[in-house]
Amino acid sequence: MKTLTTLFYLLLGSALTIFIYSNFQQRVVIHFTDRYRTTETPLALALFGAMVAGFLIATLLAFTHQFRLRNRLRQLRKTNERLESEIAGLRNLPLTSLPSSGRTESDSPAERDPHSSID
């Protein structure tokens, strides 16, 4: 799968390079507002700038999501440790401190007749 991904990126980069080379002579003017506009720049430079801007925005969004996930993971690990220590504490409780159910050994399910009706 990694080979296919690498091959895909290589083909995409080659297509982008061919596209930029074939459109290098074309010039564009980018209008940000009525007063601010760029001078005539090559189309390739405008496309490259748009690609870099998109990459930076995507990277910023990915980092914020990554930080949120790490924070959530840290919280879940703390909760897990707290619950594991609680379970360990419950395992160490003596059985005599549990309330008696009032059953005798003859009342155990293993000694009862399996075909008898339930009381």
Side-chain angles (χ1 to χ4, degrees):
M1 186 67 185
K2 192 170 186 168
T3 306
L4 288 175
T5 305
T6 305
L7 183 63
F8 172 74
Y9 286 133
L10 185 63
L11 288 173
L12 185 66
S14 299
L16 184 62
T17 303
I18 292 169
F19 179 75
I20 288 173
Y21 182 73
S22 65
N23 291 312
F24 196 75
Q25 298 301 323
Q26 291 182 352
R27 303 243 178 227
V28 293
V29 176
I30 301 171
H31 298 274
F32 290 110
T33 63
D34 289 335
R35 292 183 179 221
Y36 180 72
R37 67 182 97 166
T38 62
T39 60
E40 287 190 4
T41 58
L43 179 61
L45 183 63
L47 291 175
F48 183 73
M51 182 185 69
V52 168
F55 176 76
L56 291 175
I57 291 170
T59 302
L60 180 66
L61 292 175
F63 277 140
T64 58
H65 185 68
Q66 184 74 18
F67 287 134
R68 273 192 231 133
L69 287 176
R70 285 185 184 186
N71 189 23
R72 180 73 176 144
L73 180 63
R74 190 178 314 114
Q75 289 174 349
L76 290 174
R77 282 185 177 161
K78 285 181 182 179
T79 303
N80 190 23
E81 288 175 7
R82 183 183 54 81
L83 291 174
E84 283 179 352
S85 66
E86 183 179 343
I87 288 173
L90 290 174
R91 285 184 181 154
N92 292 332
L93 286 177
L95 292 177
T96 57
S97 66
L98 296 175
S100 174
S101 65
R103 292 174 58 182
T104 62
E105 288 184 26
S106 63
D107 290 340
S108 68
E111 294 180 3
R112 281 196 223 157
D113 182 19
H115 301 293
S116 68
S117 64
I118 297 176
D119 298 315

